[in-house]
Amino acid sequence: MRPDDTERPAWVLYDGERYLGTLHARPDGDGLWHVQSAAEQCLCLDDAVRILRRPSSWFRQREQAARWARAVLADRALLVVDVQTAGLGRQAWAVQIAVLDGTGRTVVNEMLNPCEPITATASQLHGITPSHVARAPRFADLLPELTGVLAGRRCVAYKARFDRGVLARELLRHHQDVSPVRAWLGQARWEDAMGPAAVVTGLWSADRLQYRNQRLGGCYDAAEKCRTLLRRLHRLAGAA
């Protein structure tokens, strides 16, 4: 640490004997940590250090993530998907499913009766209560429409494993057989935007040797999550 004045100390970081870079804080200015070599700012010191720990391959990986996002946005088969659930655990059922196309047009936005209790924690996030879905359709009622919408499309979600997993559980509950579940999910191409977003942000976790995943942000409404994801895709596409 080199306090070049009393108001803006400069920090020089080393990993062992390897010089990583220099950053400084502006506590009486914008309150951010400024990473000089990367010309970036962070709210916390830990993230500033993670920027300086980026591997040399980051520039190439960032360009790859940007190319992926541009290809996704150019694909007329693109759909963005989000599922909100009755609970936060791994076995939660769907209470809202939204699907938007690449232009932002809403294709599906439906609340569902999960036929199970909605936890208070989940309701605090998305605002959906049992009274909202008491007369809502069940997943089985929406399934014919959803099948026609998703079949043959490029489905992108943020943490796609979660959304796809909810759909898989709903399908298994409906069919009581794993074969039609696999066949239904296999009709669409599923891709996850979380990995490319983590690469572009570029906060390197030294202990895990990977980029730290980032929150998507926005309110916990399925349609709004889809719109937020579309905006994130556009930012990723222009990242390089």
Side-chain angles (χ1 to χ4, degrees):
M1 180 177 68
R2 179 175 61 84
D4 56 352
D5 57 43
T6 58
E7 296 180 349
R8 197 184 69 180
W11 299 67
V12 180
L13 274 73
Y14 290 86
D15 185 0
E17 297 183 356
R18 183 168 67 93
Y19 170 72
L20 296 180
T22 304
L23 55 93
H24 60 81
R26 293 181 178 174
D28 58 344
D30 57 15
L32 301 176
W33 288 91
H34 293 246
V35 185
Q36 293 177 335
S37 57
E40 296 181 47
Q41 297 82 42
C42 298
L43 285 172
C44 67
L45 176 60
D46 286 350
D47 283 348
V49 173
R50 292 180 180 113
I51 286 176
L52 290 174
R53 285 185 177 274
R54 286 169 179 161
S56 59
S57 59
W58 177 67
F59 296 99
R60 173 177 53 80
Q61 293 169 325
R62 182 182 63 172
E63 174 56 31
Q64 289 174 342
R67 283 201 302 268
W68 171 82
R70 289 194 290 269
V72 165
L73 291 170
D75 192 343
R76 292 185 177 182
L78 170 64
L79 293 175
V80 290
V81 181
D82 187 80
V83 181
Q84 296 297 313
T85 55
L88 305 183
R90 295 183 177 180
Q91 300 302 318
W93 305 104
V95 293
Q96 185 188 16
I97 297 177
V99 181
L100 272 63
D101 66 16
T103 69
R105 181 179 65 90
T106 301
V107 181
V108 175
N109 185 16
E110 192 74 62
M111 284 191 185
L112 300 173
N113 187 338
C115 302
E116 294 286 344
I118 301 175
T119 67
T121 305
S123 286
Q124 288 175 358
L125 287 177
H126 50 54
I128 300 173
T129 65
S131 62
H132 289 129
V133 298
R135 298 184 178 181
R138 298 170 301 165
F139 177 83
D141 301 322
L142 183 64
L143 184 56
E145 177 186 357
L146 201 60
T147 301
V149 167
L150 300 186
R153 304 299 290 267
R154 185 177 194 169
C155 298
V156 177
Y158 204 79
K159 198 176 182 181
R161 182 178 180 181
F162 173 83
D163 299 271
R164 193 173 183 272
V166 177
L167 294 177
R169 288 195 300 276
E170 291 285 4
L171 289 163
L172 186 59
R173 180 165 67 167
H174 175 68
H175 290 291
Q176 297 294 310
D177 183 4
V178 72
S179 296
V181 174
R182 292 172 177 168
W184 192 92
L185 291 172
Q187 294 181 81
R189 294 172 289 159
W190 290 88
E191 298 180 47
D192 193 352
M194 178 177 276
V199 170
V200 169
T201 304
L203 300 183
W204 183 256
S205 176
D207 56 343
R208 298 183 179 181
L209 298 179
Q210 64 183 30
Y211 299 103
R212 289 173 63 89
N213 289 330
Q214 305 298 305
R215 292 183 180 275
L216 179 59
C219 68
Y220 283 81
D221 171 83
E224 184 57 35
K225 282 290 185 184
C226 288
R227 285 188 281 271
T228 303
L229 176 51
L230 269 177
R231 291 192 291 269
R232 178 66 63 89
L233 288 171
H234 281 282
R235 289 200 300 271
L236 295 182

